[in-house]
Amino acid sequence: MDRYGRKIGLALGSGGAKGAAHIGAIRAFEEEGISFDAVAGTSIGSVVGALFAKGLTSADMVSLKEEWDFTEIQSLFAFAFGGGLTELLYRVTGGAHFSDLKIPFAAVATDLDDGNERVMTEGDLATALAASSSVPPVFHAVGYRGRRLVDGAFCNAVPADVCKRLGADVVFGVSLGKERPFSTELKGYLDEMYPGNGVPVRNRIEVGYRESALMIEPDLRGFSAASVSGVDEMFARGYRAAKRAMPEIREILENGDSV
């Protein structure tokens, strides 16, 4: 909460391995002494957001990188064996539940059957994060409370509005790329795997930009969602982008206006 009594939120967007830039942005906020009262994330943004809400610092997350077997992660993406993503996320989160988190957090997924956004704020983190991150054709839909869920990027790539629903008055977003409103290639994979699914073509990034007081946009050109070997450089670019934005962020926080 800032000195004006407003709650500050952080919305972290989708982008696979490019999520390393989220950790860099968090490092910049830490150096500026800016804390958050709510976090919402989509796909890799949900994974980083959950760790942050759990109390991990950017340094903690960088240390985790040394413990994760990136060969295993690449194998998961290559073979998508049953339950692999959930199992990996269970280890990464230490089996934590939403109730274990230090600040309010939400993970966003897409309902495969009706195409609606599903916001998850209860239960075990691993299942929710797997649902938020299950992008076809690599991963299959995840069962969550009787629903079949896929990657939240199909409906809300940077969930700033969800962060506001958690109580944030001012939200800063981090987008991992100037994405097209909807990836027709990914929609094609979804249609092949799940004919007749209810996920529509929609503008999945407009809400995030509209509801963020400021959107941090690291320059990640040349990297893809699978660029595991580039995590150090993507971290650095996320850090630099957030640092460059700090004067404007400070101005937003100082003028007392909510967005």
Side-chain angles (χ1 to χ4, degrees):
M1 187 175 292
D2 71 3
R3 65 193 181 100
Y4 299 102
R6 298 167 305 175
K7 292 184 178 181
I8 305 173
L10 179 64
L12 301 176
S14 58
K18 293 188 287 183
H22 286 322
I23 304 174
I26 288 171
R27 171 71 58 83
F29 279 112
E30 290 170 343
E31 291 181 352
E32 296 289 330
I34 297 172
S35 58
F36 294 94
D37 303 288
V39 181
T42 295
S43 199
I44 189 60
S46 73
V47 178
V48 175
L51 295 176
F52 184 60
K54 192 170 182 275
L56 275 69
T57 65
S58 61
D60 294 330
M61 287 185 253
V62 169
S63 295
L64 274 178
K65 177 178 72 70
E66 305 303 324
E67 300 174 20
W68 295 346
D69 183 349
F70 282 124
T71 301
E72 178 187 13
I73 294 173
Q74 287 175 312
S75 296
L76 284 171
F77 277 88
F79 303 112
F81 57 84
L85 182 59
T86 303
E87 291 171 8
L88 174 65
L89 290 170
Y90 185 88
R91 293 201 303 275
V92 169
T93 61
H97 285 62
F98 281 87
S99 58
D100 297 318
L101 303 181
K102 298 182 183 299
I103 58 176
F105 167 72
V108 174
T110 305
D111 192 306
L112 179 65
D113 297 307
D114 62 20
N116 290 331
E117 175 183 272
R118 300 296 174 189
V119 177
M120 297 166 284
T121 58
E122 298 178 326
D124 74 278
L125 278 173
T127 302
L129 301 182
S132 180
S133 306
S134 290
V135 59
V138 181
F139 298 115
H140 293 277
V142 172
Y144 184 87
R145 300 193 173 186
R147 310 299 302 185
R148 295 189 301 166
L149 304 184
V150 292
D151 200 294
F154 283 109
C155 62
N156 193 347
V158 186
D161 58 326
V162 174
C163 207
K164 286 188 173 181
R165 281 181 248 161
L166 291 177
D169 301 302
V170 178
V171 178
F172 298 107
V174 183
S175 173
L176 300 180
K178 284 283 191 181
E179 302 170 88
R180 291 171 291 174
F182 195 95
S183 173
T184 53
E185 181 181 9
L186 288 180
K187 172 61 172 170
Y189 290 135
L190 191 66
D191 291 342
E192 286 180 16
M193 291 178 67
Y194 302 103
N197 69 81
V199 179
V201 174
R202 56 158 68 91
N203 189 319
R204 61 203 180 99
I205 59 177
E206 186 271 334
V207 172
Y209 280 83
R210 186 182 70 231
E211 298 296 330
S212 294
L214 181 142
M215 186 69 77
I216 297 168
E217 300 175 294
D219 182 358
L220 300 175
R221 287 174 295 182
F223 295 103
S224 73
S227 297
V228 176
S229 63
V231 293
D232 292 335
E233 177 61 24
M234 289 185 283
F235 172 96
R237 294 190 185 192
Y239 173 80
R240 291 196 296 266
K243 274 294 193 181
R244 286 194 299 270
M246 283 302 161
E248 189 173 355
I249 289 170
R250 285 290 183 193
E251 183 177 354
I252 290 169
L253 293 178
E254 287 297 321
N255 69 22
D257 295 330
S258 63
V259 177

